[in-house]
Every structure is written in structure tokens, then in C-alpha cells.
Amino acid sequence: MTRLLSQPLATLDVEQSTLYVTGDVGMNAAAELVAAGAKWLETGGFTAVGFDFSGVEKASSAVMSVLFEWLRSCKRHHIAVSAITLSAPLERLASLSELDALIHSPALAE
């Protein structure tokens, strides 16, 4: 596993073609996570990637913003999203926000 970003409360790692976010992602960390992940997506040369947020214990709109920015980056670069894994708190937030259908859409894998 390679560390792309380390902050006091949040980290971004990559293994094979999956980005792993762990920790407490607040507004301060979100912008740096978006930038580091987007750079990796642009330069990685992947046709498909995964996003794993199972290590994020605190749900926040900042985390969801990171995910959606990365999804937009994938769309721009014609990268398929093979899997999105959310922690239980993030699953609840996605469901309450009615975003779960967008996140778990079969169209993401295309």
C-alpha cells in the first residue's frame, strides 16, 4: 500500500487500483483528499478504479463531497468505477440523503 496523503486526522492510501480513505475527514482535509485523489486518477492510466471509505468512522458531507469529486474526475477521464465501499456511518448518511442510488448505481461500473 502506498500513502498518497497523510493528515493529522485523515489519510489517503492506494493499493493496486483502489483509493482507501481512513480517519476523520473534515472540510480542511477534504480539499487535499480531492486534489491528491484526482491527481492519482489523472496520472494512473487505469481503466477502472475502486474507492474504499470503510475506514471513515464519522459521516460528514465533506467525505461525500470527496467521493463525488472523484466520480466526476473518473467521468472526465473515462475511468470506470468498479466498486465503492462505504463505512456503516457513511451508508446511513448516503441513505438519509437519498444518495445511495447514485453511489451504488450499476452505471458506475460502465
Side-chain angles (χ1 to χ4, degrees), residues 59-73:
S60 74
S61 60
V63 177
M64 301 308 281
S65 295
V66 170
L67 172 59
F68 283 106
E69 284 297 323
W70 288 350
L71 290 172
R72 283 190 276 282
S73 185

Side-chain angles (χ1 to χ4, degrees), residues 1 3-4 10 29 31 33 36 75-77 86 88 99 101 108:
M1 197 169 289
R3 178 130 312 154
L4 298 179
L33 285 169
K75 187 173 183 174
R76 276 192 307 275
H77 298 291
L86 300 177
L99 296 173
L108 290 177

Side-chain angles (χ1 to χ4, degrees), residues 7-46:
Q7 297 221 329
L9 298 175
T11 60
L12 176 62
D13 295 305
V14 63
E15 185 172 358
Q16 296 180 10
S17 62
T18 301
L19 287 172
Y20 293 87
V21 179
T22 56
D24 183 6
V25 179
M27 292 305 287
N28 293 334
E32 290 188 49
L33 285 169
V34 166
K39 181 178 178 181
W40 178 81
L41 289 166
E42 291 169 14
T43 61
F46 294 105

